């Protein structure tokens, strides 16, 4: 609180408790009440005659004052205004009298000018001339020290000081007990005064005084509100010091112990704010603040003589709140402060015995004694802390020390019962609720206590207060405190009424929560998860969980319907409510919907990314270390993914959680790898392929270069796990299929992961010491030695210069391998003549190694026998390696075949098996497609022969057929592009007949292969055959040559005759239907 003067005429709160806030005092004009007051003064003037009222003395008041007092009481108790406002006319009367007194002392303007400028002129002109005696005695008679203090403090500085000095001089002359009491009351009101609480009439009086009472050499100005460091602070200090000086002559007139406590308390409070402190005084802790106010209210309620005894609780609390805080004013110099400290010491010494007798008597405890003890305790501590010789003169230190010791000793002699602080807990609760409901000072801090007190929460008043003031509790920390309080009472509601009350509280708390910002909601969700785990609020109170399942379904049905992104904020608000009620169920629902509802996964991921608090790790749980979201994702992998589309949506959902657009990532690649990949990298895990795809996604997430996340995921053991999986593919077809939880196509994913992991690891290589790196590489090399030799070649980037490429010795027979990079390895399974097989295996590993192998291959092209043997050996090696190739490896092998054919290193004679006559066409651009198709046909003839028919299992045959279809399908695409890129510009561009011949040859070769395959393995070839016929049909439809009709008829007849020989009835029927449409 601060003392100052108002600077405008805006309405303000009224004075002390009991006077209405923002009191409408009405115009100060002639009215019925003014006439009654005028009559009272006329009677007083008659009683005072022949002396005028302007010369009235204190001793005269008892003779002439009664008519004035009676008139004012009549006005205050009249019912002309409803509800009655007794304080309103008390203040009007004070304003009228004081303005008249002030103008009589000033060189005022003429009457003609005053009636224009003076708002009080009409009424004050009815009143006879009066002096300060009338003003002071009237205020004293109606006991309104707060009116005197308020009006005093809006006067200009020099007038304010003069008027206070006049008042002090008045009460110290012919002092009565009433003078002492009123003096102390005014003093206390000045200490309690708070700037900004002036009502309209007070502001009007301040404006009037500035207009009429400023000296001519002081230009009118609007005074600033008081600040502790403003110049006005010195004026306030001077007022307080004047009051202290006024106490000195009055002390002999103070007889009762209660008044002595009162006087000392005022004096101690003044010195408390004047003594320089080591640091700025901090606000009282809010709990202490509440206890002080409650103690004051308790004392007033027990004291029948106290003016606030009969007031309502809210009025008591308002006034008690004013009394708790003190002014902050300018500090005094040493000399002046020493004298005032000495005055306090002399009073304590003089009154000590009498006061201790009263203070130790529980029957004598009153508000004044409570104030004294509380003020002494505060001042004593301040003096002890400030009495340090290093920064003060010796006299000051000695005075502070002596007074501090005196206070300490004085307080030691007072029993704890004399403090009178104990308040009933229900009263403390009521006081807190009044502060909150009336929005008094520190009401926001009081909300924290209100939300935390478990003993209050079971009452109806607590629930009513919360419901009425819920907007004050819309802060995350308060919502959490309310939840904790309600949780502690969750088992106490046995009655129907108790359960209804709990439900109401739950509803109000949720309403407070819903109004929070998204950031604050996340704070609450984090707090809920930390306190009550993944079940959230549903696990602590039945009221929170009863309607949750229905609410969950309704909310997400609406969300799915609005997945277009409209109303995203509304959707997030809806989910935020669910997330705090039951975080785990909400996340599970989102994860399930993300895979079950096509096209909603990104929208749902955006929603989930709005709640980073849900990425919560629960300590001391079964899945310690795994976050709530990852736990739900893991459960989704295990239980919910049944189709390829669902898996695809799940992966896209996961990608968005790691790489959202316009939001912070909810999941980091490291935690995804640690929780969804590493524990699952074993061949018997049912969802191994999906985990491998997840690793692929995690490794592709772009991150800043300074984030070395891969080192948190045990990269070298992770590399070895991938190597082991690759090794297991070398015996994939030799094991029963029911032992495999993954398809052979997963080999590409494993190899891709291995390559990416090596690249990521190399990027972050510098973040580990060279010694640790070397040890890790050596460990990995030792482990990989037990695996297939091709696995080690995939780790060359990681091995670097530490280890050479280790390959079968026979590879050196077909390659010119540099010995500084390559070394032989003893492998019994690679005997004589296996060099070409090893060479092809190397070609399949990577594109870079394939190109290197093609360069290093050594063949004497001038030796026909060697070329012929190479071609036969190549066919044999290709057949051997084909079943173990993944699709990517097969495409690399196809590229090798193409390169060898184009370089004429590989000799594949074209057979005329499906040629009826010699076509006079240019097939040079189509040499590779025709040779490749024949090569595959020869390979399958060898593979399906008597020696190889039993070599492969049924699933292996299906895999080989898929590779054949992939190779021919890719070949079809290349054939379509040949006319646009390989013909000379001057040659004829119409190559319909050549293309037609190539398509028919590929069709015949495909049917030939289909005829050789084991039953139940040729389905891919049906699709391939239909694809070839579709290309052929497109070609025929575009043919506009003259001989097209005869040629088409001959070709169709040839195709039909070939199709007739197809033994598979289903394949034959479908092909015949297709041919009939040609």
């Amino acid at each position: 609180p601060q003392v100052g003067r108002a600077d405008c005429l805006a309405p303000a709160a009224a004075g002390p408790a009991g006077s209405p806030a923002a009191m409408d005092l009405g115009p100060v004009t002639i009215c019925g009440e003014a006439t009654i007051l005028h009559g009272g003064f006329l009677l007083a003037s008659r009683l005072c005659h022949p002396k005028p009222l302007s010369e009235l003395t204190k001793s005269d008041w008892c003779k002439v004052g009664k008519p004035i007092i009676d008139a004012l009481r009549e006005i205050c108790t009249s019912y002309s205004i409803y509800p009655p406002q007794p304080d309103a006319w008390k203040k009007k009367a004070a304003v009228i009298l004081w303005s008249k007194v002030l103008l009589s002392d000033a060189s005022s303007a003429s009457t003609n000018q005053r009636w224009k400028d003076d708002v009080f002129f009409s009424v004050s002109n009815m009143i006879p001339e009066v002096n300060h005696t009338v003003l002071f005695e009237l205020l004293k008679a109606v006991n309104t020290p707060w009116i005197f203090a308020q009006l005093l403090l809006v006067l200009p500085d020099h007038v304010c000081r003069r008027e206070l000095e006049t008042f002090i001089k008045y009460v110290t002359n012919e002092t009565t007990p009433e003078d002492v009491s009123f003096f102390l009351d005014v003093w206390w009101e000045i200490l309690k005064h708070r700037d900004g609480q002036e009502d309209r009439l007070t502001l009007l009086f301040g404006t009037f005084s500035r207009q009429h009472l400023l000296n001519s050499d002081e230009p009118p100005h609007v005074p600033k509100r008081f600040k502790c460091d403003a110049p006005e602070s010195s004026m306030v200090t001077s007022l307080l010091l004047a009051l202290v000086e006024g106490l000195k002559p009055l002390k002999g007139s103070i007889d009762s112990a209660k008044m002595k406590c009162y006087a000392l308390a005022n004096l101690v409070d003044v010195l408390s704010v004047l003594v320089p402190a080591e640091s700025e005084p901090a606000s009282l802790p809010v709990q202490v603040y509440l206890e002080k106010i409650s103690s004051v209210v308790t004392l007033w309620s027990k004291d029948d003589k106290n003016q606030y005894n009969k007031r309502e609780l809210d009025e008591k609390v308002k006034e008690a709140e004013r009394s708790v805080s003190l002014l902050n004013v300018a500090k005094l110099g040493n000399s002046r402060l020493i004298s005032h400290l000495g005055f306090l010491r002399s009073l304590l010494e003089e009154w000590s015995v009498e006061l201790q007798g009263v203070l130790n008597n529980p029957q004598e405890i009153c508000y004044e004694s409570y104030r004294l003890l509380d003020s002494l305790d505060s001042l004593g501590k301040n003096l002890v802390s400030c009495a340090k010789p290093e920064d003060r003169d010796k006299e000051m230190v000695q005075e502070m020390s002596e007074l501090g010791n005196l206070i300490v000793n004085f307080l030691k002699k007072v029993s704890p019962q004399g403090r009178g602080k104990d308040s009933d807990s229900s009263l403390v609760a009521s006081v807190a609720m009044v502060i909150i409901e009336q929005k008094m000072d520190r009401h926001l801090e009081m909300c924290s206590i209100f939300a935390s007190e478990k003993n209050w929460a079971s009452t109806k008043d607590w629930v009513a207060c919360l419901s009425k003031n819920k907007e004050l509790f819309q802060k995350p920390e308060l919502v959490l405190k309310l939840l904790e309080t309600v949780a502690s009472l969750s088992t106490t509601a046995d009655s129907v009424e108790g359960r209804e009350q709990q439900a109401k509280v739950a509803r109000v708390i949720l309403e407070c929560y819903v109004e929070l910002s998204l950031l604050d909601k996340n704070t609450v969700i984090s707090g809920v998860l930390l306190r009550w785990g993944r079940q959230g609020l549903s696990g602590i109170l039945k009221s929170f969980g009863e309607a949750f399942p229905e609410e969950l379904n309704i909310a997400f049905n609406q969300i799915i319907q609005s997945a277009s992104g409209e109303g995203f904020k509304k959707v997030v608000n809806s989910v935020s409510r669910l997330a705090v009620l039951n975080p785990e169920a909400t996340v599970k629902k989102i994860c399930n919907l993300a895979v079950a509802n096509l096209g909603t996964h990104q929208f749902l991921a955006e929603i989930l990314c709005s709640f980073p608090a849900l990425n919560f790790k629960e300590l001391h749980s079964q899945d310690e270390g795994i976050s709530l979201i990852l736990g739900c994702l893991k459960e989704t992998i295990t239980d919910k993914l049944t189709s390829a589309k669902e898996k695809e949506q799940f992966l896209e959902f996961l990608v968005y959680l790691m790489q959202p657009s316009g939001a912070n990532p909810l999941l980091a690649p490291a935690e995804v790898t640690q929780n969804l990949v590493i524990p699952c990298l074993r061949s018997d895990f049912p969802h191994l392929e999906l985990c491998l795809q997840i690793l692929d996604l995690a490794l592709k997430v772009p991150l800043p270069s300074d984030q070395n996340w891969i080192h948190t995921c045990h990269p070298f053991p992770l590399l070895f796990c991938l190597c082991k999986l690759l090794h297991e593919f070398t015996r994939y077809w030799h094991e029963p299929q029911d032992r495999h939880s993954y398809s052979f196509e997963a080999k590409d994913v494993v190899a891709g992961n291995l390559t990416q992991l090596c690249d990521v690891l190399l990027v972050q290589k510098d973040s580990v010491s060279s010694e640790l790196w070397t040890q890790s590489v050596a460990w990995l090399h030792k482990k990989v030695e037990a695996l297939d030799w091709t696995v080690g070649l995939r780790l060359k980037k990681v091995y670097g210069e530490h280890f050479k490429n280790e390959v079968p010795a026979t590879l050196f027979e077909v390659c010119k391998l540099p010995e500084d990079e390559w070394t032989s390895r003893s492998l019994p399974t690679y005997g004589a003549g296996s060099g070409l097989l090893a060479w092809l295996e190397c070609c399949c590993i990577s594109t870079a190694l394939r190109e290197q192998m093609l360069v290093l291959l050594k063949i004497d092209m001038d030796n026909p026998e060697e070329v012929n043997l190479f071609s036969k050996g190549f066919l044999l090696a290709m057949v051997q390696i084909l079943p173990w190739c993944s699709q990517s490896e097969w495409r690399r092998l196809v590229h090798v075949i193409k390169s060898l054919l184009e370089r004429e290193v590989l000799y594949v004679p074209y057979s005329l098996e499906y040629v009826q006559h010699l076509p006079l066409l240019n097939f040079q651009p189509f040499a590779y497609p025709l040779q490749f198709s024949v090569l595959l046909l020869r390979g399958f003839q060898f593979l399906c022969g008597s020696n190889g028919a039993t070599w492969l299992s049924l699933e292996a045959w299906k895999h080989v057929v898929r590779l054949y279809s992939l190779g021919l399908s890719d070949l079809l695409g290349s054939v379509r592009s040949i006319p646009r890129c390989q013909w000379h510009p001057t040659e004829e561009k119409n190559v319909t007949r050549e293309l037609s011949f190539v398509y028919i040859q590929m069709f015949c070769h495909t049917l030939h292969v289909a005829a050789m395959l084991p039953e139940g393995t040729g389905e891919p070839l049906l699709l391939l055959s239909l694809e070839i016929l579709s290309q052929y049909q497109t070609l025929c439809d575009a043919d506009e040559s003259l001989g097209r009709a005869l040629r088409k008829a001959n070709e169709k007849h040839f195709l039909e005759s070939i199709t007739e020989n197809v033994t598979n009835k289903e394949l034959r029927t479908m092909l015949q239907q297709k041919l009939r449409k040609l």
Side-chain angles (χ1 to χ4, degrees):
Q2 300 165 353
V3 174
R5 286 158 309 288
D7 57 2
C8 64
L9 293 180
S19 54
M23 188 191 313
D24 186 2
L25 297 173
V28 188
T29 56
I30 298 174
C31 57
E33 289 83 355
T35 304
I36 294 172
L37 187 64
H38 176 234
F41 273 96
L42 288 179
L43 288 174
S45 295
R46 188 176 303 170
L47 293 173
C48 190
H49 189 76
K51 185 190 294 186
L53 290 177
S54 59
E55 297 178 6
L56 193 72
T57 63
K58 183 183 291 188
S59 58
D60 296 331
W61 176 255
C62 59
K63 303 173 185 177
V64 302
K66 189 174 184 302
I68 300 174
I69 295 171
D70 290 344
L72 187 57
R73 283 174 177 166
E74 181 182 350
I75 295 170
C76 292
T77 56
S78 71
Y79 286 85
S80 60
I81 299 176
Y82 187 83
Q85 297 181 4
D87 288 334
W89 259 100
K90 289 178 185 178
K91 180 173 283 191
K92 282 185 180 182
V95 166
I96 293 167
L97 294 179
W98 208 339
S99 63
K100 197 168 185 68
V101 171
L102 290 173
L103 285 177
S104 67
D105 293 343
S107 54
S108 59
S110 65
T111 302
N112 289 335
Q113 184 64 31
R114 275 191 56 206
W115 75 265
K116 297 178 183 178
D117 300 335
D118 184 0
V119 293
F120 307 118
F121 176 79
S122 59
V123 178
S124 66
N125 204 44
M126 297 171 60
I127 306 298
E129 293 295 326
V130 294
N131 60 5
H132 283 92
T133 300
V134 177
L135 173 66
F136 295 152
E137 289 296 336
L138 183 60
L139 289 172
K140 187 170 64 174
V142 295
N143 193 24
T144 52
W146 64 271
I147 291 178
F148 180 82
Q150 272 198 353
L151 297 178
L152 176 73
L153 293 170
V154 295
L155 293 172
D157 289 0
H158 69 288
V159 179
C160 178
R161 283 191 291 267
R162 186 189 70 202
E163 292 299 295
L164 182 62
E165 289 167 359
T166 303
F167 169 70
I168 294 171
K169 182 177 180 181
Y170 180 82
V171 295
T172 55
N173 182 35
E174 301 179 22
T175 304
T176 64
E178 291 77 14
D179 287 331
V180 173
S181 178
F182 192 68
F183 170 79
L184 295 176
D185 286 342
V186 169
W187 186 350
W188 181 223
E189 287 298 332
I190 291 175
L191 277 169
K192 291 189 295 181
H193 178 77
R194 297 185 182 188
D195 188 30
Q197 293 190 340
E198 298 84 359
D199 57 38
R200 188 174 61 172
L201 184 58
T202 305
L203 297 173
L204 199 61
F205 178 69
T207 303
F208 156 81
S209 64
R210 289 192 296 276
Q211 287 176 342
H212 296 280
L213 302 178
L214 284 175
N215 295 331
S216 57
D217 58 342
E218 294 183 78
H221 67 282
V222 179
K224 299 178 181 178
R225 292 189 181 275
F226 167 72
K227 302 292 181 185
C228 62
D229 56 350
E232 287 86 346
S233 175
S234 59
M235 189 278 293
V236 179
T237 304
S238 68
L239 296 182
L240 295 177
L241 294 178
L243 290 165
V244 172
E245 292 297 330
L247 179 61
K248 293 177 180 179
L250 280 176
K251 70 174 184 176
S253 303
I254 303 176
D255 297 326
S256 70
K258 181 177 180 179
M259 286 295 103
K260 289 178 180 178
C261 288
Y262 196 177
L264 278 174
N266 283 357
L267 177 58
V268 171
D269 279 344
V270 170
L271 294 178
S272 294
V273 299
L274 292 178
V275 171
E278 282 191 303
S279 59
E280 285 298 319
S283 298
L284 286 173
V286 67
Q287 185 68 47
V288 176
Y289 177 78
L290 176 60
E291 290 172 358
K292 279 180 173 284
I293 293 178
S294 301
S295 296
V296 171
V297 171
T298 300
L299 290 167
W300 287 346
S301 301
K302 291 179 179 180
D303 185 359
D304 294 337
K305 297 179 181 179
N306 190 282
Q307 60 176 322
Y308 301 109
N309 177 264
K310 303 300 181 183
R311 299 284 181 89
E312 295 296 329
L313 179 63
D314 59 340
E315 296 177 357
K316 291 178 182 176
V317 173
K318 284 180 183 177
E319 185 59 27
E321 189 184 48
R322 291 179 66 227
S323 71
V324 167
S325 302
L326 295 178
L327 298 168
N328 187 16
V329 297
K331 309 305 180 184
L332 292 181
N334 288 350
S335 58
R336 299 179 67 191
L337 185 59
I338 289 174
S339 66
H340 295 307
L341 292 177
F343 177 50
L344 173 60
R345 183 158 59 89
S346 66
L347 285 181
L348 274 176
E349 290 171 345
E350 181 180 345
W351 293 345
S352 176
V353 176
E354 180 184 358
L355 291 179
Q356 284 174 1
V358 173
L359 295 173
N360 285 310
N361 183 358
Q363 303 301 321
E364 297 289 337
I365 294 174
C366 61
Y367 174 57
E368 288 75 14
S369 65
Y370 166 77
R371 262 195 68 212
L372 173 60
L373 293 174
D374 192 62
S375 300
L376 282 174
D377 185 56
S378 175
L379 178 61
K381 292 176 181 176
N382 195 12
L383 289 173
V384 171
S385 66
C386 291
K388 296 180 179 178
E390 58 267 16
D391 54 356
R392 303 189 190 281
D393 60 54
K394 293 182 179 180
E395 187 179 359
M396 172 63 78
V397 171
Q398 182 178 356
E399 187 64 43
M400 284 186 172
S401 178
E402 289 178 358
L403 180 57
N405 293 332
L406 179 63
I407 291 174
V408 170
N409 293 331
F410 179 85
L411 293 175
K412 283 181 180 178
K413 296 175 182 178
V414 179
S415 66
Q417 291 77 13
R419 301 284 174 142
K421 288 187 177 182
D422 295 336
S423 300
D424 183 75
S425 60
S426 61
L427 175 66
V428 177
S430 299
V431 169
M433 293 177 205
V434 168
I435 293 173
I436 291 170
E437 289 179 358
Q438 299 293 330
K439 295 181 175 57
M440 300 182 188
D441 283 354
R442 304 186 72 176
H443 68 279
L444 295 176
E445 295 173 82
M446 204 59 63
C447 290
S448 178
I449 295 179
F450 176 89
S452 305
E453 280 293 338
K454 298 175 177 59
N455 294 331
W456 304 352
S458 57
T459 64
K460 290 182 179 179
D461 291 340
W462 187 87
V463 178
C465 180
L466 176 63
S467 302
K468 185 178 178 181
N469 301 280
K470 59 186 178 183
E471 71 280 354
L472 298 178
F473 293 88
Q474 291 171 7
K475 295 182 179 179
E477 61 274 12
L478 294 181
V479 171
L480 285 170
K481 286 181 178 180
L482 286 170
L483 291 172
E484 285 183 324
T485 301
V486 171
S488 68
L489 304 173
S490 59
T491 58
T492 61
D494 298 327
S495 64
V496 174
E497 184 180 3
R499 287 192 292 273
E500 289 177 353
Q501 189 164 296
Q502 275 193 356
K504 185 176 181 180
V505 172
R507 185 171 62 254
V508 173
I509 295 175
L510 283 178
E511 288 172 1
C512 294
Y513 165 78
V514 168
E515 294 300 321
L516 298 176
S517 67
L518 186 58
L519 180 63
D520 288 342
K521 285 176 182 174
N522 274 286
T523 301
V524 173
I525 293 171
S526 293
V528 168
L529 285 165
L530 190 63
R531 289 164 177 79
W532 300 293
R534 303 182 176 197
Q535 300 302 314
L537 301 183
S538 299
I540 64 170
L541 197 64
K542 190 176 181 182
S543 302
F544 286 121
E546 282 179 336
F548 175 76
E550 181 182 358
E551 190 175 347
L552 182 71
N553 290 328
I554 292 173
F556 276 102
N557 285 340
Q558 294 173 347
I559 289 171
I560 296 305
Q561 292 170 7
S562 63
S564 60
E566 296 178 3
F568 180 74
K569 185 176 180 181
K570 183 179 179 182
V571 169
V572 169
N573 284 337
S574 177
V575 174
S576 70
R577 179 181 170 92
L578 301 172
V580 78
L581 289 175
N582 194 325
E584 185 174 46
T586 304
V587 175
K588 284 183 178 179
K589 187 73 172 180
I590 291 176
C591 292
N592 294 342
L593 289 174
V595 299
N597 288 272
L598 298 180
T600 62
H601 52 281
Q602 182 172 335
F603 184 65
L604 291 168
E606 288 179 24
I607 295 172
L608 201 53
C609 284
S610 301
F611 300 99
L614 293 175
N615 199 21
F616 163 77
K617 292 182 181 179
E618 187 175 6
L619 300 178
H620 312 299
S621 66
Q622 292 181 347
D623 295 324
E624 185 173 346
I626 186 169
S627 69
L628 169 60
I629 290 178
L630 285 169
C632 294
L633 291 172
K634 198 170 185 178
E635 186 175 316
T636 302
I637 292 173
T638 306
D639 302 333
K640 302 297 180 182
L641 302 181
T642 57
S643 68
K645 187 61 181 176
E646 288 178 344
K647 292 178 181 178
E648 180 184 345
Q649 287 217 151
F650 175 83
L651 292 172
E652 291 178 4
F653 178 66
L654 184 59
V655 166
Y656 198 87
L657 294 181
M658 291 190 287
Q659 291 179 270
S661 59
N664 292 323
L666 192 60
L667 298 176
E671 58 183 334
V672 170
T673 304
Q674 290 164 359
N675 295 286
L676 300 185
V677 177
I678 292 177
C680 311
L681 279 184
R682 57 181 194 275
S683 57
D684 61 340
F685 184 68
H687 304 282
L688 176 62
E689 281 190 70
L690 187 64
C691 292
L692 292 168
Q693 290 172 310
I694 291 172
L695 177 59
D696 180 66
L697 296 176
L699 291 170
K700 288 179 179 176
V701 173
L703 289 175
S705 58
D706 59 341
Q707 291 193 17
N708 304 318
W709 68 269
I710 196 64
H711 293 300
T712 66
C713 300
H714 314 291
F716 283 91
L718 182 56
L719 278 173
F720 180 61
C721 288
L722 294 173
C723 290
K724 282 202 301 183
L725 287 174
L726 271 180
H727 173 75
E728 291 182 7
F729 283 102
T730 61
R731 53 175 184 267
Y732 188 88
W733 303 122
H734 298 320
E735 296 173 343
Q737 289 304 302
D738 55 6
R739 288 185 56 185
H740 296 145
S741 58
Y742 52 93
S743 67
F744 193 83
E745 281 70 23
K747 184 180 181 181
D748 273 341
V749 184
V750 177
N753 285 341
L754 188 62
T755 302
Q756 284 191 80
L757 184 56
C758 289
D759 292 339
V760 172
L761 194 56
L762 285 173
V763 170
Q764 301 181 10
K765 176 182 176 181
D766 294 337
S767 61
V768 297
S769 66
S770 57
E771 182 181 0
L772 179 59
W773 178 267
T774 302
Q775 291 174 353
S776 301
V777 170
W779 174 87
L780 181 63
H781 180 265
K782 186 175 181 180
K783 286 285 188 180
V784 172
E785 277 184 333
L787 306 180
D788 186 74
W789 66 273
T790 58
V791 174
L793 296 182
R794 298 177 185 269
L795 299 172
K796 180 57 182 173
K797 288 182 180 179
V798 175
Y799 286 167
E801 297 179 357
H802 295 284
F803 299 99
K804 297 179 180 180
N805 291 322
E806 299 176 0
V807 294
T810 54
L811 182 59
F812 284 84
E813 298 174 2
V814 297
C815 281
K816 300 175 183 178
L817 298 176
E819 294 184 359
D820 57 336
E821 297 180 17
W822 299 79
T823 184
S824 61
R825 180 177 176 181
S826 177
L827 295 169
T829 54
Y830 285 79
S834 61
L836 199 51
L837 174 63
W839 182 80
L840 280 180
E841 288 184 271
C842 289
C843 290
C844 292
I845 290 174
S846 69
T847 302
L849 195 54
R850 178 196 69 195
E851 296 304 315
Q852 187 178 11
M853 288 294 104
L854 285 170
V855 171
L856 296 176
L857 180 66
K858 56 180 183 181
I859 297 177
D860 185 4
M861 295 301 296
D862 295 330
N863 188 341
E865 183 178 354
E866 187 172 339
V867 174
N868 196 34
L869 284 173
F870 173 80
S871 301
K872 292 179 180 179
F874 183 90
L875 179 63
L876 179 61
M878 184 190 73
V879 169
Q880 284 182 278
I881 199 175
L882 183 61
W884 309 101
C885 285
S886 65
Q887 291 188 2
S888 295
E889 291 172 336
W890 170 236
R891 282 194 164 106
R892 293 190 192 103
L893 186 54
V894 169
H895 182 87
V896 171
I897 294 170
K898 182 179 181 181
S899 177
L900 293 176
L901 287 173
E902 288 176 348
R903 290 161 52 191
E904 297 184 0
V905 176
L906 179 61
Y907 175 63
V908 181
Y910 194 80
S911 168
L912 299 178
E913 187 174 356
Y914 296 105
V915 180
Q916 293 175 302
H917 56 274
L918 182 64
L920 299 175
L921 302 170
N922 182 8
F923 290 114
Q924 184 60 39
F926 301 99
Y928 163 66
L930 292 171
Q931 286 180 300
F932 180 71
S933 183
V934 170
L935 179 65
L936 292 188
L937 175 61
R938 296 293 175 258
F940 271 85
Q941 285 175 332
F942 183 79
L943 193 58
C944 299
S946 58
N947 293 331
T950 58
W951 180 44
L952 298 177
S953 64
L954 185 63
E955 291 301 318
W957 275 111
K958 290 180 180 179
H959 173 69
V960 170
V961 171
R962 283 194 293 270
L963 292 183
Y964 176 85
S965 300
L966 178 66
L968 266 289
S969 182
D970 289 347
L971 190 64
L972 275 175
S974 66
V975 167
R976 287 196 300 270
S977 64
I978 288 176
R980 292 191 298 271
C981 62
Q982 289 196 12
W983 291 91
H984 194 276
T986 59
E987 295 181 13
E988 178 64 44
K989 295 296 191 301
N990 188 353
V991 291
T992 301
R993 295 174 64 187
E994 286 85 351
L995 283 173
S996 174
F997 179 82
V998 173
Y999 288 150
I1000 291 173
Q1001 291 298 299
M1002 290 175 65
F1003 179 75
C1004 294
H1005 295 162
T1006 300
L1007 294 187
H1008 192 152
V1009 171
M1012 295 186 289
L1013 293 176
E1015 187 176 352
T1017 60
E1019 182 179 352
L1021 299 187
L1022 167 62
L1023 299 176
L1024 176 62
S1025 302
L1026 293 174
E1027 184 183 356
I1028 295 172
L1029 288 180
S1030 295
Q1031 294 295 332
Y1032 173 76
Q1033 182 178 0
T1034 302
L1035 182 68
C1036 292
D1037 292 341
D1039 185 11
E1040 297 179 357
S1041 61
L1042 294 176
R1044 63 182 181 280
L1046 177 61
R1047 187 171 63 256
K1048 286 181 182 178
N1050 290 335
E1051 290 172 353
K1052 181 178 180 182
H1053 176 72
F1054 176 70
L1055 291 172
E1056 288 175 342
S1057 64
I1058 294 294
T1059 305
E1060 283 294 333
N1061 296 323
V1062 175
T1063 56
N1064 187 309
K1065 183 178 179 182
E1066 181 183 3
L1067 175 59
R1068 184 175 66 248
T1069 302
M1070 294 191 70
L1071 292 176
Q1072 287 173 341
Q1073 290 175 353
K1074 183 71 174 177
L1075 287 172
R1076 281 195 289 271
K1077 295 179 182 179
L1078 293 178

